[in-house]
Amino acid sequence: MSKVRIGIVGLGNMGSTHANQILAGKISRLELTAVADSDPAKLARVPQVKGFSSAAEMMASGLIDAILIATPHYDHTTIGIAALKAGLHVMVEKPISVHRADCERLIAAHTNKKQVFAAMFNQRTDHYYLKIRDLIQSGELGEIRRVNWIITDWFRTETYYASGGWRATWGGEGGGVLLNQCPHNLDLFQWMFGLPVTLRANCQFGKYHDIEVEDDVTAIMTFKNGATGVFITSTGEAPGTNRLEITAERGKVVYEKDKITYTRNVQEMGEFSRTTDQAFGRPEVWEVNIPAPSHGDQHNGILKNFTDAILDGTPLVAPAAEGIRSVELANAMLMSAWTDKAVTFPIDGKKYERLLKAKIATSKASKKKKKVVKITNDDFAKSMVK
Amino acid sequence: MSKVRIGIVGLGNMGSTHANQILAGKISRLELTAVADSDPAKLARVPQVKGFSSAAEMMASGLIDAILIATPHYDHTTIGIAALKAGLHVMVEKPISVHRADCERLIAAHTNKKQVFAAMFNQRTDHYYLKIRDLIQSGELGEIRRVNWIITDWFRTETYYASGGWRATWGGEGGGVLLNQCPHNLDLFQWMFGLPVTLRANCQFGKYHDIEVEDDVTAIMTFKNGATGVFITSTGEAPGTNRLEITAERGKVVYEKDKITYTRNVQEMGEFSRTTDQAFGRPEVWEVNIPAPSHGDQHNGILKNFTDAILDGTPLVAPAAEGIRSVELANAMLMSAWTDKAVTFPIDGKKYERLLKAKIATSKASKKKKKVVKITNDDFAKSMVK
């Protein structure tokens, strides 16, 4: 096999963006050979290749070796399982599933390890986050003591929420900012820091928008080594903030506005505290600017890695199995808010599924007919600029 | 009366600093005429004026019109009540008392409103915080939606904690970073944003130091209008951070490193969200730098205001009665951590007192003899530089 023939299911904003990139030849050795969408108008967005009205037909067509799943979230699980069973290589958009129990079902279907199963965590290709992860993993920072991520630059308008009837409903997305906007950040979070031991969150539902799901979240966490974490997100704040602060024995790292600043303690802070005869002194610090060449190849980089994994056995940047962790973080935040209790990891996936189904059963969003507004391509393109 | 004759009780680091400033003539119309400390070595720090071995003797001496209480925290209440009953004007160091019930007792003793009763919230004279408060109170920012204060630049070493046997014990200070270092920040917090409705906190006790009290705190809050708040503090982090971020309808204010940056939404964010036909658009913003002339006159400014209040009836910058709010915030954070529950305001002061007394009763710190280390003046001076 010298090329991978891929089909895309779901031609919404993301699916059609991926289609255009592949059709434009941006991903070497990856060829778009089919698309599927139940909406004929969306199928018409990609007239160059064979269109199907369902994923099942596309999978049975023999036209594809691999599938890219860009449907609303719930279908990631069902289509993903079907595609794995059909022997296809699978790339699934984030989140890999809506809740932990579904993630387990999806991951369990990946029995043939010759099939490549990856997730679209494109921000793992960002050199800034790669640098920060390297600072941690190399041991440069020493023991991590606190993490504080304010990631509130996900502003979305009422028009956005009116752009899909499934949007921001328990039945359609299974959540709000945590399930739609934050999977990337939650993935990066666990990829850099691992999962916490306990978590407690304050979620506000429809605080800023006429929606039933969360659009404002503040979570506090404790890690195994006693480190604490704070994660704050919202789709209601403009201009918003993306500021990650890491406190470690060797100093403080701040990532904000495309700059990584490392205030490096010449002596580790704990050792200084224990050995100095000063009461108010502090370790000497060096101000270090950590360079990063670019934000990386993002979506196309992940598609290229997927192609290389299929053709050459290249290790995946983002194996789908790792996608359970960001889902679990999102689930834990909602579960803590619903139950007003701390949640411990691993979370009880069955319990979460029951709680979510109860939300769906009493959802009002599914009953009121929403005016659906169409989003222009120019408008959607703004969501890619950070 | 053309001058105020003041006596200082407690000649530790703060008390002797105040004494030196007054003796150096830094506060117009304020004269140091007596000092009191049970430790003769400390009394010897201020040989210029009459010294007493107790506050009671100094109060009975007829040498003073006003008293500045700079003793360990618990004595603020008892000495404060005695001084008010003795008809003196009273300036009390922060915190005004250790817990809410004691604050109520102390404030209730202020029956003669001709006696001036003030608290040493010197940071209220800081022009940076005054500017931020003015942005809020003038309505410039519109409705506040989120407040995030990371105030972790209170690094203290093991030597600091060894410098007083009462330090960082339930019986000696009634808490750690919240009662000793943070009263200023908690006062500024309530002075700018008011008290929240509910609060939940993660406190870690002796995380960084060999102490029994909290040296690491993460609190999340909800305000009456639905706004959320995060307050993070620690004495274990170097270099630490002091960054206050306010999200409001009219934009975002960030105060950090002696700069106030206001990213001003030309249209309020909520109105933009509701009226635009864009899904991913954002309000236009102006980057505004808000100037502040200086950090103000701090301790001496508060002492001058106290003097002016006594002699001229000038309104107080920090009436002692307002000191209950910062104490209540600190108490709420500890109570939430101890009970693992959300705390609502006003807190149950009696319950808190019981919980604190139980901590004192089982305290191990009071039983083990601590090596007490002396702090040099040069070293203490570092605590004043921010």
Side-chain angles (χ1 to χ4, degrees), chain A residues 35-79:
Chain A
V35 288
D37 201 297
S38 59
D39 179 354
K42 285 190 178 153
L43 266 188
R45 289 177 171 183
V46 188
Q48 300 95 323
V49 298
K50 174 76 177 157
F52 297 92
S53 63
S54 75
E57 288 172 81
M58 182 171 76
M59 288 191 268
S61 69
L63 287 175
I64 59 174
D65 312 309
I67 188 168
L68 194 171
I69 305 171
T71 60
H73 311 157
Y74 279 101
D75 299 333
H76 295 182
T77 313
T78 48
I79 296 175

Side-chain angles (χ1 to χ4, degrees), chain A residues 152 154-156 208-209 215 234-238, chain B residues 249 269-270:
Chain A
T152 51
W154 287 120
F155 187 69
R156 295 290 183 266
Y208 291 108
H209 306 94
D215 56 4
S234 175
T235 55
E237 294 182 18
Chain B
E249 282 295 325
M269 66 189 192

Side-chain angles (χ1 to χ4, degrees), chain B residues 94 154 156 160-161 176-185 235:
Chain B
K94 51 80 196 169
W154 286 119
R156 294 291 182 267
Y160 167 82
Y161 286 110
V177 62
L178 291 172
L179 273 290
N180 190 305
Q181 285 74 31
C182 277
H184 292 302
N185 311 111
T235 55

Side-chain angles (χ1 to χ4, degrees), chain B residues 170-235:
Chain B
W170 297 118
E173 291 202 272
V177 62
L178 291 172
L179 273 290
N180 190 305
Q181 285 74 31
C182 277
H184 292 302
N185 311 111
L186 294 173
D187 178 64
L188 294 173
F189 192 91
Q190 70 78 23
W191 183 63
M192 293 187 278
F193 311 112
L195 286 177
V197 178
T198 65
L199 178 150
R200 203 182 260 288
N202 177 355
C203 298
Q204 292 183 318
F205 303 91
K207 175 180 187 170
Y208 291 109
H209 306 94
D210 182 22
I211 56 175
E212 63 183 5
V213 295
E214 81 289 353
D215 56 3
D216 191 85
V217 176
T218 306
I220 57 178
M221 296 165 244
T222 309
F223 292 83
K224 197 178 170 189
N225 73 344
T228 57
V230 173
F231 185 89
I232 301 172
T233 192
S234 175
T235 55

Side-chain angles (χ1 to χ4, degrees), chain A residues 157 241 252 278 340 379 382, chain B residues 157 241 252 278-279 382:
Chain A
T157 67
T241 293
K252 183 172 85 165
Q278 299 173 55
D340 194 20
D379 191 1
K382 288 180 201 149
Chain B
T157 67
T241 293
K252 183 174 85 166
Q278 299 173 55
K382 288 181 201 149

Side-chain angles (χ1 to χ4, degrees), chain B residues 107-336:
Chain B
I107 292 166
H110 186 211
T111 50
N112 178 1
K113 300 302 176 191
K114 284 184 187 158
Q115 287 171 252
V116 174
F117 186 23
M120 185 53 81
F121 288 119
N122 48 287
Q123 295 204 21
R124 289 195 187 189
T125 67
D126 187 317
H127 291 288
Y128 289 86
Y129 292 115
L130 282 162
K131 285 276 179 183
I132 296 168
R133 186 170 185 251
D134 187 54
L135 285 172
I136 298 164
Q137 299 211 330
S138 68
E140 166 61 34
L141 295 186
E143 196 89 359
I144 305 291
R145 298 300 182 198
R146 196 169 54 73
V147 177
N148 193 83
W149 199 351
I150 307 175
I151 171 74
T152 50
D153 67 343
W154 286 119
F155 187 69
R156 294 291 182 267
T157 67
E158 287 291 356
T159 293
Y160 167 82
Y161 286 110
S163 70
W166 56 282
R167 274 207 197 283
T169 62
W170 297 118
E173 291 202 272
V177 62
L178 291 172
L179 273 290
N180 190 305
Q181 285 74 31
C182 277
H184 292 302
N185 311 111
L186 294 173
D187 178 64
L188 294 173
F189 192 91
Q190 70 78 23
W191 183 63
M192 293 187 278
F193 311 112
L195 286 177
V197 178
T198 65
L199 178 150
R200 203 182 260 288
N202 177 355
C203 298
Q204 292 183 318
F205 303 91
K207 175 180 187 170
Y208 291 109
H209 306 94
D210 182 22
I211 56 175
E212 63 183 5
V213 295
E214 81 289 353
D215 56 3
D216 191 85
V217 176
T218 306
I220 57 178
M221 296 165 244
T222 309
F223 292 83
K224 197 178 170 189
N225 73 344
T228 57
V230 173
F231 185 89
I232 301 172
T233 192
S234 175
T235 55
E237 295 183 17
T241 293
N242 181 4
R243 181 180 185 276
L244 174 63
E245 175 178 302
I246 304 165
T247 299
E249 282 295 325
R250 189 54 80 177
K252 183 174 85 166
V253 174
V254 175
Y255 173 51
E256 188 178 13
K257 293 179 187 166
D258 286 352
K259 271 194 189 161
I260 303 172
T261 312
Y262 175 23
T263 311
R264 189 178 192 276
N265 291 327
V266 173
Q267 189 179 12
E268 289 204 348
M269 66 189 192
E271 188 190 293
F272 180 89
S273 171
R274 287 185 297 275
T275 57
T276 182
D277 60 0
Q278 299 173 55
F280 297 96
R282 293 169 186 217
E284 180 188 328
V285 290
W286 299 344
E287 284 292 335
V288 185
N289 288 308
I290 308 275
S294 75
H295 288 290
D297 292 332
Q298 296 289 336
H299 297 99
N300 290 355
I302 292 289
L303 286 174
K304 172 143 197 350
N305 171 252
F306 179 60
T307 307
D308 294 349
I310 295 167
L311 296 176
D312 312 327
T314 305
L316 285 177
V317 169
E322 293 179 9
I324 193 172
R325 297 180 200 150
S326 45
V327 172
E328 195 167 4
L329 276 168
N331 292 174
M333 292 178 193
L334 286 168
M335 187 148 70
S336 172

Side-chain angles (χ1 to χ4, degrees), chain A residues 144-165:
Chain A
I144 305 291
R145 298 299 181 198
R146 197 170 53 73
V147 177
N148 193 84
W149 200 351
I150 307 174
I151 171 74
T152 51
D153 68 342
W154 287 120
F155 187 69
R156 295 290 183 266
T157 67
E158 287 290 356
T159 293
Y160 167 83
Y161 286 111
S163 71

